[in-house]
Amino acid sequence: MRSRGKTWGRALAVLAVTASVAVVAPGAGAQSRARAPEEAGQHRIETFAHKCLDVARRSAADDVPVIQYECNGGPNQEFRFVPRGGDTFEIRTFADKCLDVRGANPADGTPIIQWGCNGGHNQLFRIREVGDGYFEIGTFAGKCLDVRGGSPADETPIIQWECNGRPNQVFRMR
């Protein structure tokens, strides 16, 4: 059995390699994709339903829900992972705000929203590789991001839920 530290380290390495590939990929606007070395680059976060995490309505406002929506290449479907010490990250949106567990509530079913970055523990996430390029995204409460109810539908909210290993809690970074 692998130690948790090695698993987190491997997830960080995969994100760093992915960012490096984005920087040097020919014909893909490589210079415009370059990122500071402490950041892991821009990523789409794909769900089990082959859809993307999406800041609803492309809104730059606070308290906007993060949902699952058909991948469309919009800026509201791109996220940046910013290391914040240890194995934690802020996940930044196109509006340079953070994913946030609403109200720092540790309960199952709490929505994931966009909110101005404030350094709160409810804006720190852990990325854990689960195999074959898939990841769980853990919250401050020891829970996981979850596509509510395992629904494949557009506009399904992303919530926090007890980690259970089901497909609706597994994501791919692209």
Side-chain angles (χ1 to χ4, degrees), residues 29 33 46 61 64 79 88 98 108 113 119 126 134 141 163 172:
R33 297 287 306 204
E46 292 184 359
V64 174
F79 300 89
T88 61
C98 285
D108 284 346
I113 60 170
R126 289 181 170 82
Y134 291 94
C163 299
R172 188 175 284 245

Side-chain angles (χ1 to χ4, degrees), residues 35-134:
R35 300 287 176 246
E38 68 274 4
E39 299 173 2
Q42 293 285 113
H43 294 277
R44 285 184 322 202
I45 303 173
E46 292 184 359
T47 71
F48 75 103
H50 306 289
K51 297 192 176 187
C52 287
L53 264 58
D54 180 293
V55 177
R57 302 175 306 281
R58 292 188 184 193
S59 176
D62 284 341
D63 204 28
V64 174
V66 176
I67 60 173
Q68 167 183 264
Y69 200 82
E70 179 181 346
C71 298
N72 58 36
N76 59 318
Q77 293 183 345
E78 295 212 356
F79 300 89
R80 188 167 43 104
F81 293 79
V82 179
R84 287 298 177 224
D87 59 358
T88 61
F89 290 86
E90 286 178 346
I91 303 176
R92 297 272 180 117
T93 70
F94 75 107
D96 204 29
K97 296 190 177 195
C98 285
L99 293 195
D100 181 290
V101 178
R102 182 183 275 151
N105 186 340
D108 284 346
T110 302
I112 305 303
I113 60 170
Q114 169 180 264
W115 193 267
C117 299
N118 58 33
H121 64 284
N122 60 314
Q123 294 184 345
L124 298 177
F125 298 87
R126 289 181 170 82
I127 313 301
R128 185 175 75 86
E129 182 183 18
V130 295
D132 296 325
Y134 291 94

Side-chain angles (χ1 to χ4, degrees), residues 7-25 33-43 80-83 89 127 129 135 173-174:
T7 301
W8 292 108
R10 182 176 297 163
L12 295 176
V14 169
L15 285 171
V17 168
T18 301
S20 297
V21 170
V23 170
V24 298
R33 297 287 306 204
R35 300 287 176 246
E38 68 274 4
E39 299 173 2
Q42 293 285 113
H43 294 277
R80 188 167 43 104
F81 293 79
V82 179
F89 290 86
I127 313 301
E129 182 183 18
F135 299 87
M173 313 308 176
R174 299 272 187 190

